[in-house]
Amino acid sequence: SYALFRNLAVNATYYVQVRAISANGAESIFTSLGSTATLAAIPSTAASTYTLVAISSLTFQWQANSNPSDTIYIAEVSSFSNFSLISGSSSTLLTQAALTGLTANNTYYARVRAQNHQGVRTEYALLGSTVTKAFIPSAAGTAYLNIELSSLTFQWQANNNPSDTLYTAEISSFSGFSLIADSSQTLITQAAFSGLSLNTSYYARVRAQNREGIQTNNLILSSTATLAAIPSTAASTYTL
């Protein structure tokens, strides 16, 4: 024998008892059949999933989808879309999770599932992906290389950014960079500039950009000057 009960609350503990009623209406005492819990609902996506994304951490959120406040959620992030390797996880009663220890300028995928009072878990809700921010480039031991009459090369360090990090390098003859003489976007940690003026001071700066196009602040390098030209002889050298 069995009984079917409908319209119960999500992830709620219910206690069951049963008794028999004879043909003449006599009732037996109740027999307790213990308790169970209804299943939790799969979490739903929030209007904005990623609320805080930094260099080595991110915070993402979801909606309870009618689950009660004592529902446990298991949130996970991975740098693989199939979650073959979990980069971080959190078990929480909140509808958000903050995960740390991530790598800079890396794509992370997020997912979450709910767990009912008896430990039965739902399927995962997939929450898309985001990219952590890049580090500001750091200064190299020697900033300038190959300084010539009208060209120069300057370099920097990746500062733990991955090899696919895009850098924007700029030079200007103004310390405030009010006018950019030239710029270069590169995946390597140096940039060469040509077509510069002779014997002119130039200031250099560089910033990193993550895979979503979010740029860091600039690393400002010290200035240098292009070389002066060797004086040339006049048509008449001795005038007096």
Side-chain angles (χ1 to χ4, degrees):
S1 299
Y2 69 91
L4 176 64
F5 298 92
R6 301 180 185 273
N7 300 317
L8 304 181
V10 173
N11 191 18
T13 299
Y14 286 95
Y15 300 86
V16 182
Q17 62 182 10
V18 63
R19 67 180 175 182
I21 303 175
S22 68
N24 61 7
E27 297 177 345
S28 70
I29 62 171
F30 278 105
T31 298
S32 175
L33 300 181
S35 65
T36 191
T38 52
L39 299 178
I42 299 173
S44 55
T45 57
S48 177
T49 300
Y50 297 95
T51 58
L52 180 63
V53 180
I55 294 171
S56 59
S57 64
L58 61 84
T59 300
F60 61 97
Q61 63 181 357
W62 55 89
Q63 291 184 324
N65 194 20
S66 300
N67 286 311
S69 60
D70 60 350
T71 300
I72 294 175
Y73 300 95
I74 298 90
E76 298 172 338
V77 295
S78 174
S79 56
F80 298 91
S81 60
N82 63 358
F83 292 86
S84 57
L85 180 64
I86 302 302
S87 303
S89 65
S90 173
S91 180
T92 178
L93 293 172
L94 305 176
T95 54
Q96 66 173 19
L99 298 175
T100 60
L102 309 180
T103 58
N105 191 16
N106 198 11
T107 301
Y108 286 97
Y109 302 85
R111 66 183 184 181
V112 63
R113 59 182 173 178
Q115 177 178 300
N116 80 348
H117 296 160
Q118 289 192 324
V120 179
R121 297 177 176 182
T122 68
E123 296 294 319
Y124 284 103
L126 301 179
L127 303 179
S129 64
T130 191
V131 179
T132 49
K133 293 181 178 179
F135 281 108
I136 299 173
S138 56
T142 301
Y144 293 95
L145 308 170
N146 305 324
I147 300 173
E148 303 292 344
L149 295 173
S150 60
S151 64
L152 61 83
T153 299
F154 73 89
Q155 64 179 352
W156 57 90
Q157 291 183 326
N159 194 20
N160 294 317
N161 286 315
S163 59
D164 64 340
T165 301
L166 186 65
Y167 300 95
T168 301
E170 297 172 333
I171 58 171
S172 175
S173 57
F174 298 90
S175 60
F177 291 86
S178 55
L179 181 65
I180 303 300
D182 201 1
S183 66
S184 173
Q185 284 197 315
T186 178
L187 292 173
I188 62 176
T189 55
Q190 63 176 253
F193 298 93
S194 58
L196 307 180
S197 300
L198 305 179
N199 192 21
T200 300
S201 293
Y202 284 97
Y203 302 86
R205 68 183 184 184
V206 62
R207 58 185 176 268
Q209 176 177 306
N210 78 350
R211 296 172 186 174
E212 287 187 331
I214 298 174
Q215 298 186 340
T216 67
N217 291 329
N218 286 296
L219 167 69
I220 307 295
L221 302 178
S222 58
S223 63
T224 192
T226 49
L227 300 180
I230 299 172
S232 55
T233 58
S236 177
T237 301
Y238 299 99
T239 59
L240 182 62

